[in-house]
Amino acid sequence: MTKFPKGFLWGGATAANQLEGAFDADGKGLSVADVMPGGKVRMQVLASNDFDWTLDNEKYTYPNHRGIDHYHHYKEDIALFAEMGFKAYRFSIAWSRIFPNGDETEPNEAGLAFYDNLINECVKHGIEPVITISHYEMPLGLVKNYGGWKNRALIDFYENYARVILTRFHDRVKYWMTFNEINSANAFPALSQGLVASNGAGDFTNIAQAWHNQFVASAKAVKIAHALDPEVKVGCMIIYATTYAMDSDPKNQLANLQQNQEFNYYCGDVQALGHYPSFTERFLKKHGTSFEKLEVTDEDLALLAENPVDYIGFSYYMSGVTDVTHEHEAGAGNMIAGVKNPFLEESEWGWQIDPEGLRVGLNELYGRYRKPLFIVENGLGAKDVKEADGSVHDGYRIDYLRRHIAAMKAAVLEDGVDLMGYTPWGCIDLVSASTGEMSKRYGFIYVDLDDAGKGTLARSKKDSFGWYQKVIASRGEDLD
Ligand code: BG6
């Protein structure tokens, strides 16, 4: 057997705020992503003490306001995904299209209609929609008026939102995820929790409370989905970064174990196992807080226990190294800044490229949870060069994906891991989340648009397009 199983969900992934554009069309409200400046200054601005979620068109640019205008090009884009042979397409619903300020009781019909059309277009092409309910784009009103996820009031707003979209779309959408990269708040709570210095990110109690509120909200979504149809599958979604100790010094081994527990497993344990992990108190204490300080009710704990997720969705881009005993050079990364690994190459953005680490992660996650896994993001952000005829020779991307798919294949076919599917990130070029740039591209499809917002928006196929088409058609047998 050299092929992936029949029914394996090959596809690609995106997020509304990074590709849709049309940021204020048809009644959409502002989301947190709409006020995050574009360009390399983004993370610096969000981390500064004076960032207060104000839009400043004089000082900054906001590339996601236009995105790649998928809002008006979705038919063309889905047709290209279908041509590649996609079985699944992971996208997110922009919460602020449905509830512009987040706290309304009645939804915005125009927003629902857009996703109705998008879902129908997928179904028409035989593509299974996979929906992230909240992907780094909560309504700005929930941050400005309620202080972000640290406020328990958000549980009800999310529940209402989840109920509306699950009820409307569950007949055509079987796979859902509740929060994108929920554990990213460990390093960067602005995107997923709406917390920056000016509204409490400096106090880890707020981050832990926000997580708790999200866990409860997530369990409520699972409950609603299963009540509508027990066949609907709801997953969690975590950033997974395999982490190695620098050497066999027990100090590094222990520090690495703790890093793994605290970064990779804390959120997944609650969502998948239905209870807080044994190391919770140590983790919170390390950050100057304690479980006692959180508002957690008996009803919350019962709800978590009764409504664990059905599968583990995760992103995997890179691995990290833990070293507490040497001076070292820091590596950059996807929400974690580790130590550079001397055995690995890195991307142009300093992310450590590690296909074997994916096989390690798949085994670790499956061994821990014994629930189906779904790789819902993976890929190489790179600067592509478009030739005059529109072609892009992205052999480096093919090489990255080939090696990761080979690792995945070994985990499935040799290690017995139950893997549902693979949706590489940014299957069509879109705005980067960490830097708000267009020039950090992941797609199989090139979009003619630069960092300054100039370009025709024309779509063209990169070399990786034909390659991935062949991979899917051969069920992963032909990776050449
Ligand atoms: C993940 C996010 O962290 O990584 C995506 O879920 C993001 O939203 C992706 O785009 C790649 O990161 P970046 O910063 O290169 O866009």
Side-chain angles (χ1 to χ4, degrees), residues 86-312:
F86 278 22
K87 313 287 177 221
Y89 172 44
R90 171 186 178 226
F91 58 91
S92 68
I93 292 184
W95 187 346
S96 60
R97 282 199 196 284
I98 313 300
F99 290 98
N101 290 307
D103 59 357
E104 297 87 347
T105 45
E106 292 309 314
N108 170 31
E109 180 52 38
L112 289 169
F114 170 68
Y115 294 105
D116 249 331
N117 294 336
L118 179 61
I119 290 166
N120 290 343
E121 201 62 24
C122 290
V123 173
K124 185 175 105 188
H125 286 285
I127 296 174
E128 192 86 55
V130 176
I131 294 185
T132 318
I133 296 177
S134 181
H135 188 132
Y136 294 165
E137 57 209 329
M138 59 194 289
L140 189 62
L142 296 182
V143 171
K144 291 253 187 194
N145 305 323
Y146 297 89
W149 268 104
K150 67 180 188 290
N151 187 336
R152 263 191 94 95
L154 266 71
I155 299 175
D156 291 345
F157 299 138
Y158 180 96
E159 182 183 5
N160 191 29
Y161 162 55
R163 176 172 286 108
V164 165
I165 57 174
L166 282 159
T167 305
R168 175 94 165 215
F169 303 131
H170 76 275
D171 59 337
R172 286 156 288 160
V173 182
K174 194 170 162 203
Y175 300 102
W176 300 77
M177 276 169 281
T178 53
F179 289 97
N180 182 64
E181 296 192 334
I182 188 166
N183 55 329
S184 64
N186 237 308
F188 218 79
L191 306 175
S192 63
Q193 299 188 333
L195 290 178
V196 292
S198 62
N199 65 354
D203 178 353
F204 207 78
T205 313
N206 290 330
I207 292 172
Q209 184 67 55
W211 265 328
H212 178 75
N213 297 340
Q214 292 181 319
F215 298 150
V216 172
S218 172
K220 289 192 173 211
V222 172
K223 190 172 176 178
I224 294 167
H226 290 167
L228 286 165
D229 180 352
E231 285 308 305
V232 168
K233 305 288 177 207
V234 185
C236 57
M237 190 327 198
I238 55 174
I239 300 191
Y240 191 89
T242 299
T243 172
Y244 308 109
M246 181 59 127
D247 54 30
S248 54
D249 186 329
K251 288 193 186 64
N252 285 331
Q253 293 289 333
L254 179 63
N256 186 59
L257 172 90
Q258 295 184 352
Q259 161 71 14
N260 199 21
Q261 290 176 325
E262 294 162 10
F263 187 84
N264 286 324
Y265 292 133
Y266 179 73
C267 297
D269 279 7
V270 182
Q271 293 184 284
L273 304 175
H275 53 79
Y276 276 89
S278 56
F279 56 83
T280 297
E281 198 51 47
R282 185 200 72 220
F283 173 44
L284 297 185
K285 200 167 155 201
K286 197 184 271 181
H287 290 281
T289 186
S290 82
F291 196 68
E292 241 178 42
K293 289 196 182 167
L294 306 184
E295 193 187 342
V296 175
T297 67
D298 289 344
E299 291 76 45
D300 292 348
L301 297 177
L303 190 85
L304 296 179
E306 285 157 16
N307 298 283
V309 292
D310 301 305
Y311 65 93
I312 315 297

Side-chain angles (χ1 to χ4, degrees), residues 18 135 180-181 317 334 351 377 425 432-434 440 442:
Q18 292 173 250
H135 188 132
N180 182 64
E181 296 192 334
Y317 290 91
N334 190 16
W351 296 19
E377 287 186 33
W425 177 249
S432 136
S434 57
K440 189 180 187 188
Y442 288 85

Side-chain angles (χ1 to χ4, degrees), residues 9 45 57 70 80 111 146 176 184 188 237 246 262 283 286 330 352 362 369 384-385 388 411 432 435 456:
L9 296 170
V45 173
N57 282 307
H70 176 72
L80 285 164
Y146 297 89
W176 300 77
S184 64
F188 218 79
M237 190 327 198
M246 181 59 127
E262 294 162 10
F283 173 44
K286 197 184 271 181
Q352 312 283 295
L362 285 162
Y369 298 125
D384 292 331
V385 178
S432 136
T435 56
T456 61

Side-chain angles (χ1 to χ4, degrees), residues 9-15 81 84-91 127-128 130 374-378 422-428 444 468 472:
L9 296 170
W10 295 100
T14 64
F81 299 159
M84 257 186 291
F86 278 22
K87 313 287 177 221
Y89 172 44
R90 171 186 178 226
F91 58 91
I127 296 174
E128 192 86 55
V130 176
F374 196 165
I375 302 171
V376 295
E377 287 186 33
N378 172 241
Y422 179 64
T423 54
W425 177 249
C427 44
I428 181 165
F444 301 108
Y468 193 45
I472 297 176

Side-chain angles (χ1 to χ4, degrees), residues 343-479:
F343 299 99
L344 300 178
E345 290 163 17
E346 57 185 29
S347 79
E348 290 171 79
W349 275 262
W351 296 19
Q352 312 283 295
I353 301 172
D354 184 9
E356 268 80 27
L358 176 58
R359 184 171 177 186
V360 173
L362 285 162
N363 277 276
E364 292 273 351
L365 282 165
Y366 191 57
R368 191 175 187 98
Y369 298 125
R370 302 302 290 211
K371 291 189 184 225
L373 308 180
F374 196 165
I375 302 171
V376 295
E377 287 186 33
N378 172 241
L380 180 72
K383 285 191 177 123
D384 292 331
V385 178
K386 190 183 67 159
E387 308 295 337
D389 63 355
S391 62
V392 174
H393 304 305
D394 59 343
Y396 38 89
R397 180 168 296 108
I398 294 175
D399 183 58
Y400 177 103
L401 295 169
R402 175 191 291 130
R403 289 159 62 205
H404 283 78
I405 296 174
M408 203 163 102
K409 199 177 193 178
V412 172
L413 301 181
E414 295 173 40
D415 306 335
V417 168
D418 181 358
L419 182 64
M420 296 159 57
Y422 179 64
T423 54
W425 177 249
C427 44
I428 181 165
D429 290 345
L430 38 64
V431 179
S432 136
S434 57
T435 56
E437 296 165 295
M438 260 321 284
S439 49
K440 189 180 187 188
R441 298 171 183 270
Y442 288 85
F444 301 108
I445 300 161
Y446 186 90
V447 179
D448 182 34
L449 186 67
D450 66 16
D451 286 338
K454 297 209 174 65
T456 61
L457 293 178
R459 275 72 166 146
S460 59
K461 299 171 193 171
K462 302 183 193 177
D463 289 354
S464 55
F465 184 103
W467 173 82
Y468 193 45
Q469 187 179 45
K470 206 175 56 169
V471 171
I472 297 176
S474 68
R475 292 195 356 238
E477 186 166 49
D478 185 356
L479 298 181

